[in-house]
Amino acid sequence: MSKIYPTGYRVPRFKVLLISCIDLRLMDNIVRFMDHDNLTNRYDQFILAGTSIGAFVADGTDTDLEHIPAYSAWLTTLKQHIDLAIQLHEIRDIYILEHRNCGAYKNFIKDNKGDFDADGVAVDAEFNSHLKYAVQLKDVILKYVKESGERVALSEVAGVKKHAAKYAEEFNVHSFLMDLKGNVELLDTTKKEPAAL
């Protein structure tokens, strides 16, 4: 069965860190999508409940989200994995792969507003919610990578300084939304596909 995959972003030529949800219904479809982008055996994977929204439930600043202090280590752990993926595998791109019908969205967004299957909820509302948190996570990642590069460049720790250049290189974040059939839409990208000549 063929899948629908997005265009409009530059497919990475190097290794990637994939951030995806824990949802067991999509594991095979995730692998197919990564294979489609010629990333077979060229990506690390970090799994976080709710993908991007999971990074923000602990900080308490988003009034639309439940405040769950017990999850405060999630964003820190993600950042540590980004550091290691850059140092060990020289990644230059991150994929944020959201998915429709996400149980974490249902649990983390207050007042049942994350239940996009409820009567009267528009499909666009689900897309826009995933877009909002994916862009928010992209911004956090890009800021963190830039600041990490500055910290590493100043570091005198043996073996760390050589990776400073990796942080300074162009770093891209691409965000996607997968449906339960494995079809994928582009949410956002920092590196658009070049225009056809």
Side-chain angles (χ1 to χ4, degrees):
M1 177 180 287
S2 64
K3 305 292 181 196
I4 299 170
Y5 295 123
T7 59
Y9 65 103
R10 184 172 289 175
V11 176
R13 296 182 345 203
F14 302 100
K15 297 172 189 160
V16 170
L17 173 64
L18 166 66
I19 305 168
S20 62
C21 188
I22 65 172
D23 197 310
L24 53 88
R25 299 173 292 176
L26 299 169
M27 295 303 165
D28 292 337
N29 288 324
I30 291 170
V31 171
R32 281 189 203 98
F33 173 56
M34 298 304 281
D35 289 348
H36 173 267
D37 275 5
N38 195 30
L39 293 169
T40 304
N41 298 326
R42 293 193 308 118
Y43 65 95
D44 296 322
Q45 187 169 5
F46 184 84
I47 297 177
L48 186 64
T51 314
S52 59
I53 202 170
F56 302 111
V57 295
D59 70 12
T61 58
D62 188 327
T63 58
D64 292 332
L65 297 182
E66 297 291 343
H67 180 215
I68 309 173
Y71 298 162
S72 63
W74 288 15
L75 182 57
T76 301
T77 303
L78 172 59
K79 289 175 179 179
Q80 291 166 338
H81 278 76
I82 290 169
D83 281 339
L84 281 174
I86 290 170
Q87 291 174 20
L88 298 175
H89 302 136
E90 300 179 354
I91 66 159
R92 296 184 190 177
D93 293 83
I94 292 181
Y95 276 25
I96 299 171
L97 184 56
E98 303 275 316
H99 73 89
R100 292 190 182 274
N101 191 246
C102 181
Y105 271 72
K106 291 175 185 177
N107 285 316
F108 295 160
I109 298 177
K110 290 180 179 176
D111 303 323
N112 207 33
K113 292 181 181 172
D115 185 0
F116 300 109
D117 295 327
D119 290 336
V121 176
V123 173
D124 288 348
E126 183 176 20
F127 181 93
N128 291 334
S129 187
H130 285 282
L131 175 62
K132 171 186 174 181
Y133 292 106
V135 167
Q136 191 174 331
L137 183 58
K138 173 195 74 175
D139 292 344
V140 167
I141 289 169
L142 291 174
K143 180 180 180 202
Y144 177 74
V145 167
K146 182 178 185 280
E147 290 172 354
S148 293
E150 292 165 1
R151 283 192 304 273
V152 171
L154 297 173
S155 173
E156 295 301 324
V157 178
V160 174
K161 195 165 186 163
K162 70 178 184 174
H163 297 289
K166 300 298 178 216
Y167 287 96
E169 291 177 18
E170 185 175 336
F171 202 86
N172 302 299
V173 180
H174 315 282
S175 305
F176 307 94
L177 180 61
M178 179 178 279
D179 69 20
L180 296 182
K181 293 180 181 177
N183 299 310
V184 180
E185 300 172 80
L186 179 66
L187 289 170
D188 184 68
T189 183
T190 56
K191 189 71 169 185
K192 297 195 183 306
E193 190 172 47
L197 298 175

